[in-house]
């Protein structure tokens, strides 16, 4: 197999399915381009010698039985859906890499001792319907009918109608969790700029960050900007400024891997000559250590209350996302690291600051990820790029990892 050539052909062909006239690629769950992409992947998996099947919801699997331990499965894959106007690598690079890596192994070494399986997961991004990880959550029997029964996309199209239109349906909830899976390995673009800045080809991911997200509203008093002396003001934006500045200073003191972001700020009435009587803002905080994340955000909550008291403001604090950090499996991380070393690839052990299917799967099966560099760290954009040579190295390290896991006794 001429890996470089085949990889490029597969990425180009799959990127054509769902290419969006308004830019990039748009392949939303249960849309026609989404189904066409899954059918293309099915054909490619079969060409690599794999037996394919769809599950009820539209996850696509391709499998070759192990000769000695067929009931032990080594699995690799990622998601086939994209964000609106997304790039050509997020998700599908991991799908293509997994079936090409397995195809390469079959061609080079024959059938494995353990079964090898690739998966093209139906959905991860949450970009059409207000739900995410539909593919991986169905795979590990976590998805609930009630989560999606009443949801629609922005055009008012019903989730269930769309699922059924494409020939899929809810999974049989009595089906037990698969017990054959020994390892899950996902390859993905970094979507950040660390590997590029440090001139590395591969990131071996040992954990996925936990995230806490808040919306905070501070209420004071809107007043005339000219006739209200400083001492008589209840200025909500002043409160926000104190809170954000102190919190960001603390985040710098704390250092990596903590990150703290005030991404959305909405003052009212947002007018040049009125003291802002109200401000709503978001706070997004991430860390690989759950305890440290908890401590930092508790400190943040106390600061909000303290500043509000000092300035005579009312504070509403709403914590609406609280996801724990997910460690990757040490043994699988070790296999990827060994694979990178045996291929003489420059790598680093790193965490993922973004969410991935692997965080859903990791609590059930030994799981780890590897990253390839993203040029300028750009993702979820038509500008998403990785050097073809780096993409090839990623597939080689993945193949070497799968070899260790599936061909060694
Ligand atoms: Zn992704």
């Amino acid at each position: 197999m001429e890996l470089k050539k085949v990889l490029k052909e597969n990425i180009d062909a799959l990127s054509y399915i769902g290419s969006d006239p308004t830019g990039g690629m748009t392949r939303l769950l249960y849309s026609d381009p989404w189904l066409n992409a899954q059918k293309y992947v099915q054909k490619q998996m079969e060409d690599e010698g794999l037996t394919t099947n769809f599950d009820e919801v539209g996850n696509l699997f391709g499998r070759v039985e192990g000769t000695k331990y067929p009931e032990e499965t080594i699995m690799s894959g990622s998601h086939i859906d994209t964000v609106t106007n997304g790039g050509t690598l997020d998700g599908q690079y991991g799908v293509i890499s997994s079936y090409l890596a397995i195809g390469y192994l079959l061609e080079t070494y024959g059938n494995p001792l353990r079964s090898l399986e690739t998966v093209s997961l139906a959905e991860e991004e949450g970009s059409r319907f207000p739900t995410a990880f539909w593919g991986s959550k169905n795979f590990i029997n976590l998805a609930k009918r009630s989560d999606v029964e009443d949801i629609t996309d922005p055009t008012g199209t019903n989730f269930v109608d769309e699922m059924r239109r494409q020939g899929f349906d809810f999974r049989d909830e009595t089906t037990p969790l698969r017990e054959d899976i020994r390892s899950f390995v996902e390859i993905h673009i970094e979507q950040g700029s660390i590997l590029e800045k440090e001139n590395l080809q591969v990131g071996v991911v040992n954990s996925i960050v936990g995230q806490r997200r808040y919306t905070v509203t501070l209420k004071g008093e809107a007043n005339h900007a000219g006739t209200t002396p400083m001492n008589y003001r209840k200025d909500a934006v002043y409160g926000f400024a104190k809170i954000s500045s102190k919190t960001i200073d603390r985040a710098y003191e704390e250092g990596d891997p903590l990150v703290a972001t005030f991404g959305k700020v909405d003052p009212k009435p947002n007018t040049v000559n009125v003291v802002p009587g109200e401000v709503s803002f978001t706070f997004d905080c991430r860390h690989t250590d759950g305890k440290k994340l908890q401590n930092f955000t508790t400190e943040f909550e106390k600061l909000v209350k303290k500043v509000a008291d000092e300035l005579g403001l009312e504070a509403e604090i709403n914590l609406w996302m609280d996801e724990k950090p997910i460690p990757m499996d040490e043994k699988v991380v070790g296999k990827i690291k060994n694979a990178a070393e045996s291929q003489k690839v420059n790598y680093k052990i790193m965490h993922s600051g973004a969410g991935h299917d692997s965080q859903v799967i990791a609590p059930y099966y030994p799981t780890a990820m590897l990253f390839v560099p993203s040029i300028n760290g750009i993702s979820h954009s038509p500008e998403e790029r990785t050097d073809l040579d780096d993409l090839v190295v990623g597939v080689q390290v993945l193949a070497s990892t799968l070899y260790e896991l599936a061909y060694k006794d």
Side-chain angles (χ1 to χ4, degrees):
M1 182 189 290
E2 284 180 74
L3 198 50
K4 191 168 175 174
K5 181 169 162 277
V6 178
L7 179 62
K8 185 171 183 333
E9 281 168 4
N10 275 259
I11 292 173
D12 289 349
L14 193 48
S15 304
Y16 184 71
I17 306 171
S19 68
D20 191 323
T22 66
M25 199 166 74
T26 304
R27 214 158 51 208
L28 305 178
L29 177 65
Y30 299 138
S31 64
D32 292 344
W34 172 89
L35 184 62
N36 290 337
Q38 283 293 56
K39 285 183 175 162
Y40 170 83
V41 170
Q42 183 176 34
K43 168 85 172 52
Q44 299 309 104
M45 286 177 176
E46 285 171 359
D47 286 353
E48 296 301 336
L50 304 173
T51 306
T52 62
N53 76 288
F54 278 97
D55 70 4
E56 294 103 316
V57 301
N59 290 318
L60 169 64
F61 299 85
R63 180 176 169 91
V64 55
E65 294 293 321
T67 52
K68 190 167 179 188
Y69 308 108
E71 73 292 349
E72 297 182 12
T73 301
I74 307 301
M75 183 178 270
S76 179
S78 194
H79 60 96
I80 195 70
D81 69 314
T82 69
V83 297
T84 302
N85 302 115
T88 59
L89 296 170
D90 182 0
Q92 72 173 22
Y93 169 61
V95 172
I96 294 168
S97 298
S98 64
Y99 66 72
L100 289 185
I102 294 173
Y104 165 81
L105 292 173
L106 294 177
E107 185 186 284
T108 313
Y109 304 104
N111 282 11
L113 299 181
R114 292 181 188 81
S115 298
L116 273 169
E117 196 164 324
T118 164
V119 60
S120 177
L121 292 161
E123 193 269 347
E124 187 262 359
E125 301 281 6
S127 43
R128 179 175 185 187
F129 299 98
T131 184
F133 298 107
W134 178 245
S136 51
K137 282 186 172 172
N138 271 285
F139 173 57
I140 47 95
N141 291 4
L142 204 66
K144 300 243 172 339
R145 190 179 268 259
S146 55
D147 294 342
V148 298
E149 229 159 19
D150 299 319
I151 63 174
T152 58
D153 71 7
T155 69
T157 309
N158 181 267
F159 183 99
V160 181
D161 292 346
E162 276 296 88
M163 177 167 71
R164 291 191 175 139
R165 181 176 73 86
Q166 299 295 20
F168 299 105
D169 211 326
F170 291 107
R171 80 190 155 82
D172 175 358
E173 293 192 9
T174 63
T175 309
L177 185 69
R178 282 178 62 168
E179 285 180 358
D180 60 313
I181 294 159
R182 294 293 176 270
S183 304
F184 182 83
V185 186
E186 181 178 12
I187 186 168
H188 204 282
I189 53 166
E190 182 196 346
Q191 305 179 283
S193 53
I194 294 170
L195 293 174
E196 184 185 49
K197 287 205 165 81
E198 299 184 12
N199 216 357
L200 300 168
Q201 290 167 292
V202 161
V204 181
V205 178
N206 65 352
S207 73
I208 298 178
V209 289
Q211 307 185 30
R212 292 190 129 201
R213 292 190 192 166
Y214 291 85
T215 300
V216 176
T217 303
L218 297 175
K219 285 185 183 153
E221 217 168 68
N223 248 322
H224 195 291
T227 60
T228 317
M230 297 310 285
N231 284 341
Y232 295 152
R233 294 182 179 207
K234 290 184 180 175
D235 183 339
V237 164
Y238 185 36
F240 163 73
K242 279 178 171 264
I243 292 163
S244 58
S245 147
K246 181 86 197 291
T247 304
I248 292 170
D249 284 347
R250 281 282 304 115
Y252 277 109
E253 280 166 34
E254 190 77 24
D256 288 339
L258 181 124
V259 287
T261 308
F262 294 88
K264 187 177 177 200
V265 185
D266 184 16
K268 286 194 180 97
N270 207 12
T271 300
V272 63
N273 57 356
V274 181
V275 177
E278 187 176 321
V279 63
S280 292
F281 59 93
T282 59
F283 177 54
D284 172 308
C285 190
R286 307 184 190 199
H287 202 300
T288 52
D289 180 323
K291 190 79 197 126
K292 288 183 177 162
L293 177 62
Q294 169 95 44
N295 289 346
F296 192 89
T297 51
T298 304
E299 199 185 309
F300 163 77
E301 289 177 32
K302 282 186 189 153
L303 177 68
V304 170
K305 286 176 193 147
K306 181 166 165 275
V307 169
D309 277 353
E310 282 168 11
L311 303 183
L313 307 171
E314 263 176 60
E316 274 171 35
I317 303 172
N318 178 17
L319 170 66
W320 52 269
M321 182 196 280
D322 184 8
E323 287 187 1
K324 306 279 173 273
I326 303 287
M328 299 286 98
D329 182 77
E330 265 178 46
K331 189 177 136 248
V332 185
V333 169
K335 296 285 183 198
I336 301 174
K337 191 168 149 292
N338 292 346
E341 280 166 7
S342 73
Q343 304 273 327
K344 305 207 179 340
V345 168
N346 297 321
Y347 72 93
K348 79 178 282 182
I349 305 281
M350 64 188 293
H351 69 271
S352 171
H356 292 290
D357 288 308
S358 286
Q359 78 194 50
V360 176
I361 295 168
Y364 296 83
Y365 306 119
T367 296
M369 294 188 76
L370 61 155
F371 283 162
V372 294
S374 294
I375 294 173
N376 297 323
I378 296 171
S379 183
H380 286 188
S381 152
E383 303 307 314
E384 185 177 271
R385 300 267 186 284
T386 299
D387 275 342
L388 183 57
D389 287 337
D390 286 338
L391 293 172
V392 172
V393 166
V395 182
Q396 285 165 337
V397 174
L398 176 65
S400 173
T401 305
L402 297 178
Y403 178 82
E404 284 291 314
L405 290 165
Y407 285 79
K408 295 274 182 75
D409 214 343

